[in-house]
Every structure is written in structure tokens, then in C-alpha cells.
Amino acid sequence: KNLKVLMAMSIVFVMFSGFWSGETPAELIKEREIENAETLKLLYKHTPKAKILVESSYGYATFTNVGLYLPAISIEGGSGLAHNNKSGKDIYMNMGSAGIGFGLGIKDFRAIFIFKNKQVFDSFVEEGWEANAQADAAAKSGEKGGALNAAVTVAPGIKLYRITVNGLAVQVNIQGTKYWKDGDLN
């Protein structure tokens, strides 16, 4: 079981790693900054009140993710940045996820974390963060369909919004997700 998870995480890393894209660190940073701006714009379009939460928070993190869900295994990978509203500093991050359970489809989605205070922000950035278990159904094709999960508190002092941008996926699985600093870009 652990071997399957490790193999899936390795696949995610290879699939979504900037290392394989041939882009320079400066290009990857610029890409993440553009994705961050687009993700916030999308969030504010669907949930205007979220702008107040983001701007008044200690910090936030945005991630662009792609997930592949198969009947026995699911994998997700993505990248993003955490922004400290107090210092103005950006920290570049990655995420990977693997799980077992029922799933079918592919999904392009965004995750926006909002941190209430320095302690939870620093812990997320410096120690990484792990989440488990997931049940989801989303459909989006062009401008039709769509999914926006309302902000949920995922840990004390941390709220999460998830926005499905494109794809069709149904999943019910036990999934481990890990967020960590990108060692090459920080």
C-alpha cells in the first residue's frame, strides 16, 4: 500500500515538475505569479466577499492543480505560491497527492488557502501541510457547469476555497495531499 502511494507521488512529481519543462527558475516564478493573479481574479469573480478575507488575512496561498482519477488510484500535482500580506514576500510551493478509492476523470482546479495568523502561515510554509480524505464531484467544460466550494475551515486558522476550472471528475477516496516549499525557487 505504501509502495503504491510512493509510486503515485513519484509520478506526480515527474508529471508536474518544472525540472522537466525546461523553463528557467525566473520563468517558473513569473508563471506562478501570473497563475496567482488569475486564481485570485477567478475567486473574486465567483465570491466577491473572499477579497476582504484575503486582504485582511495574515497571508494566503494559491495553487494550480491537475488531478487524474482512476478506478483504483488518484494522483494530483500542482504548484503555487504563499504570500505574506504583512511582509509582501512570496514563497514558491508545490503540492502532490495520491490516493486509493473510486475515481474517474481528470480535473483542473485551483486551491486558495487563507491564513488567519502568523503561526498557521509560518507552519504551512516552513513545515508543509498534509490533508487526507476527499469526496468530490465536479464538471466544467468551457463556460458551462462549474464548481466552487465555499470556504471551509480545514484546520484551526486556515480556510480553503477550491474552484474547478476544467474537467469532469467523480471521486470518493482516501487521499493524502502534501504541500511544501519549492527548494529550487526560494
Side-chain angles (χ1 to χ4, degrees):
K1 182 178 171 181
N2 288 337
L3 181 59
K4 284 183 183 180
V5 172
L6 286 174
M7 286 175 40
M9 292 295 279
S10 298
I11 291 168
V12 168
F13 178 77
V14 170
M15 285 174 56
F16 300 103
S17 171
F19 174 76
W20 295 101
S21 72
E23 293 176 288
T24 66
E27 290 169 329
L28 291 170
I29 287 170
K30 184 67 175 167
E31 186 176 298
R32 291 193 193 187
E33 290 169 349
I34 290 169
E35 289 171 351
N36 175 65
E38 290 172 354
T39 298
L40 290 175
K41 184 177 177 182
L42 186 62
L43 174 65
Y44 301 156
K45 176 183 172 185
H46 291 288
T47 311
K49 288 189 218 176
K51 186 171 188 174
I52 295 167
L53 285 174
V54 169
E55 290 176 351
S56 65
S57 70
Y58 184 84
Y60 65 88
T62 61
F63 290 88
T64 300
N65 308 287
V66 175
L68 175 63
Y69 311 100
L70 302 172
I73 191 167
S74 63
I75 56 173
E76 295 176 0
S79 60
L81 66 82
H83 179 79
N84 182 323
N85 281 335
K86 304 305 177 197
S87 71
K89 181 179 178 185
D90 290 331
I91 299 98
Y92 303 96
M93 300 189 70
N94 296 314
M95 67 82 58
S97 184
I100 57 172
F102 173 79
L104 188 59
I106 192 162
K107 182 171 62 169
D108 175 9
F109 65 98
R110 306 294 177 265
I112 303 98
F113 290 88
I114 301 172
F115 304 99
K116 183 177 181 178
N117 59 50
K118 178 178 179 7
Q119 180 184 0
V120 293
F121 179 85
D122 288 349
S123 177
F124 183 89
V125 169
E126 297 303 326
E127 299 169 22
W129 191 69
E130 294 181 38
N132 296 304
Q134 189 169 351
D136 189 36
K140 174 102 173 129
S141 177
E143 292 301 311
K144 297 180 181 178
L148 170 67
N149 295 351
V152 293
T153 301
V154 293
I158 304 174
K159 290 192 180 295
L160 170 65
Y161 285 94
R162 286 176 52 110
I163 303 169
T164 300
V165 177
N166 216 343
L168 177 61
V170 175
Q171 67 187 81
V172 177
N173 57 33
I174 300 300
Q175 187 158 320
T177 304
K178 175 76 175 162
Y179 296 86
W180 69 95
K181 271 183 161 179
D182 187 317
D184 295 330
L185 301 184
N186 289 296

